[in-house]
Amino acid sequence: MDETFEYFVGIDWGRSHHQICVLDNSGKIKGQRSFEHSGKALAEMCAWLLTFCRNDVGMAAVAIEVPYGPVVETLLDRGFAVFFIHPKQLDRFRDRFSATGAKDDRRDARVAGEAVRTDRAYLRRLTERDPMIIRLSEWQRIYAEVTTECVILTNQLWSHLWRYFPAFLEVASDLTAIWIIELWALIPNPAAASVTSIESVDELIRNYMVRRFNAETLLEKLRQPAPIVASGTVEAAEEHCRLLFERLRLVLAQQKKAERAIDAQLAEWDSVQLSAQSASGAPARPGDIEILRSMPGLGRIGLATFLTEANDLVRKRDYQGLRLRTGAAPVTRQSGKMRLVLRRYACSRPLQNALFHWARVACLNDKVCAARYKSLREKGHSYGRALRTVGDRLLSIACAMLKNGTPYDNGQVEYADN
């Protein structure tokens, strides 16, 4: 709240149009307009806002309920101070203007403007995102999309194979394994299993170094009697599976490509940070990527998620901010004699999932985390609450490591028993 603004702008963004409301220091409306979503219209919007500010962008504070996108990036590029107002916050601020729940674009734009005028301290100031963050964020989203599609395809394949070739499912515990896909191409139906030679199956499992089965055992399982189905069912289901496996091959290749791209982006990030450190003449110390990678349970996807979704907090080593944004910090509700401590739901879902899997894998691979998790479970805590507690402590350790510039050493880490 140290900055002084003379004009306060609320933007109700939309898919095709954006409603703008400009207020002065007293809350009086100075102008309202709607702009189309196009490059030319957004440039006109910035020029229109500058007419109030006498071409001084430092006079205006802008509130919008999305933290990124073309509107935000256009305003940041022109130098405006942009603040993110959470949709739930906007909904609460709207109650000041209407107890009946009335809602429209013009009202929402004014509410956002009033919020940045009176409660700016509770809104998050947005900054221009580094190009590396944008690229890493995009690859992280691509990985999430293809992983979801992979799950959808394997579920569909399971359903069709269960329908006409259940013996194949006894062998294929993981339908995304390349050797399983090649095995289905070799034996796509029960009839093919009865005529396929042991030599061809043996060659396949040797090529993919499969140790779970030998050729005789594999064929014995696949040659079990198939269920009786209507005429034409096997042919139809096989054709459907063939298309699904083709799509699965493509999705798996894209997943590998996304993994390689994320690794390359992280390596570039680490290199840039170390180069900047060397240029500044600061003492040599591990970069943020190296330090975070040393944490137990934090893989490439979780690391990429933290660096893209909470980069501002990671840079500041803001433990309390990370607790809130990941959902690790509980919510207390107290009134009179009633006091409840509940799980936090108002948080970033990608960060919440990343912390969950970070804590889960850490409990499997780190003796300190495993001991803490076991202690919490013995005290009666649920699975989710125990993992959130472990994740909360991991965030604290990570912030301390980043401040000190030291990698993780589980021999020096202890958990307080509370």
Side-chain angles (χ1 to χ4, degrees):
M1 295 288 285
D2 294 338
E3 292 179 279
T4 301
F5 300 102
E6 294 187 24
Y7 294 95
F8 304 91
V9 183
I11 300 180
D12 182 70
W13 72 284
R15 189 174 297 275
S16 58
H17 290 79
H18 311 294
Q19 183 68 36
I20 318 295
C21 179
V22 182
L23 307 174
D24 63 13
N25 268 317
S26 65
K28 181 179 179 181
I29 297 177
K30 304 299 291 185
Q32 294 187 86
R33 276 191 65 178
S34 177
F35 292 89
E36 293 183 356
H37 183 76
S38 67
K40 181 180 177 181
L42 292 179
E44 291 175 356
M45 177 190 72
C46 292
W48 181 69
L49 292 176
L50 286 173
T51 60
F52 296 95
C53 306
R54 300 185 294 278
N55 292 322
D56 181 5
V57 293
M59 297 174 64
V62 184
I64 187 169
E65 58 179 329
V66 288
Y68 50 80
V71 180
V72 172
E73 288 159 12
T74 299
L75 291 165
L76 290 173
D77 182 67
R78 297 301 178 91
F80 285 96
V82 183
F83 295 84
F84 168 56
I85 176 170
H86 194 279
K88 185 169 285 188
Q89 285 180 303
L90 185 66
D91 185 50
R92 300 296 183 269
F93 282 123
R94 192 183 297 118
D95 294 339
R96 295 179 178 180
F97 295 83
S98 173
T100 61
K103 181 185 183 304
D104 57 66
D105 292 347
R106 290 164 64 90
R107 186 190 303 272
D108 283 354
R110 183 184 177 189
V111 169
E114 285 284 359
V116 76
R117 183 178 75 88
T118 60
D119 296 88
R120 193 165 69 254
Y122 302 102
L123 307 183
R124 175 156 61 97
R125 176 81 175 263
L126 301 177
T127 57
E128 285 192 82
R129 295 198 298 168
D130 187 279
M132 287 192 298
I133 295 177
I134 295 174
R135 293 196 300 272
L136 181 60
S137 177
E138 201 64 33
W139 278 113
Q140 190 264 338
R141 286 198 189 98
I142 291 170
Y143 180 86
E145 289 172 5
V146 296
T147 300
T148 300
E149 190 170 353
C150 186
V151 172
I152 293 171
L153 290 172
T154 53
N155 287 342
Q156 291 177 342
L157 280 166
W158 192 95
S159 176
H160 289 293
L161 289 168
W162 175 86
R163 178 183 172 195
Y164 83 100
F165 199 4
F168 193 86
L169 295 174
E170 293 186 21
V171 174
S173 57
D174 180 10
L175 290 173
T176 62
I178 298 299
W179 80 273
I180 290 294
I181 298 175
E182 295 295 343
L183 179 65
W184 185 89
L186 180 65
I187 308 175
N189 55 58
S194 61
V195 298
T196 302
S197 67
I198 291 180
E199 290 76 12
S200 58
V201 175
D202 185 62
E203 182 182 0
L204 185 148
I205 62 177
R206 280 190 290 104
N207 288 341
Y208 288 96
M209 295 182 289
V210 179
R211 299 288 182 265
R212 290 174 51 215
F213 302 102
N214 56 42
E216 293 81 1
T217 304
L218 197 58
L219 275 177
E220 182 182 351
K221 288 181 175 293
L222 293 176
R223 286 172 177 173
Q224 295 179 59
I228 298 173
V229 294
S231 179
T233 298
V234 172
E235 291 78 5
E238 182 183 335
E239 290 172 0
H240 200 152
C241 285
R242 194 176 305 280
L243 293 175
L244 290 173
F245 272 118
E246 289 176 4
R247 288 162 58 190
L248 184 59
R249 285 179 185 271
L250 175 60
V251 168
L252 290 172
Q254 291 177 340
Q255 189 180 51
K256 292 293 184 184
K257 183 176 181 180
E259 289 176 354
R260 290 193 297 269
I262 289 172
D263 286 337
Q265 292 294 324
L266 291 174
E268 180 185 353
W269 189 316
D270 196 34
S271 175
V272 169
Q273 191 176 48
L274 291 176
S275 298
Q277 184 184 111
S278 176
S280 66
R285 55 184 287 177
D288 290 359
I289 304 295
E290 182 181 346
I291 291 172
L292 290 173
R293 270 186 163 161
S294 71
M295 294 289 294
L298 187 60
R300 67 162 70 88
I301 304 304
L303 177 56
T305 303
F306 273 91
L307 291 175
T308 54
E309 299 291 333
N311 182 256
D312 55 331
L313 301 177
V314 172
R315 282 201 322 270
K316 297 174 185 176
R317 286 52 169 141
D318 187 352
Y319 165 58
Q320 293 299 332
L322 285 169
R323 295 183 76 218
L324 295 174
R325 206 174 294 181
T326 58
V331 175
T332 301
R333 293 182 180 174
Q334 184 170 351
S335 177
K337 295 182 179 180
M338 184 274 291
R339 186 175 185 271
L340 295 174
V341 179
L342 306 172
R343 174 186 171 186
R344 179 178 295 272
Y345 288 95
C347 58
S348 166
R349 291 292 177 267
L351 284 174
Q352 185 183 51
N353 291 334
L355 182 64
F356 172 83
H357 290 295
W358 180 6
R360 179 182 61 82
V361 178
C363 289
L364 297 174
N365 295 279
D366 182 74
K367 61 182 181 181
V368 178
C369 294
R372 179 56 175 156
Y373 172 79
K374 181 181 179 182
S375 172
L376 290 165
R377 292 288 278 163
E378 288 174 350
K379 291 179 180 179
H381 294 301
S382 67
Y383 173 70
R385 181 176 175 183
L387 284 183
R388 284 195 298 275
T389 303
V390 173
D392 189 8
R393 185 58 177 165
L394 287 171
L395 289 176
S396 174
I397 295 170
C399 289
M401 287 164 43
L402 290 169
K403 288 178 182 177
N404 298 330
T406 55
Y408 182 82
D409 181 0
N410 62 3
Q412 298 180 7
V413 176
E414 294 183 1
Y415 284 107
D417 191 24
N418 54 33

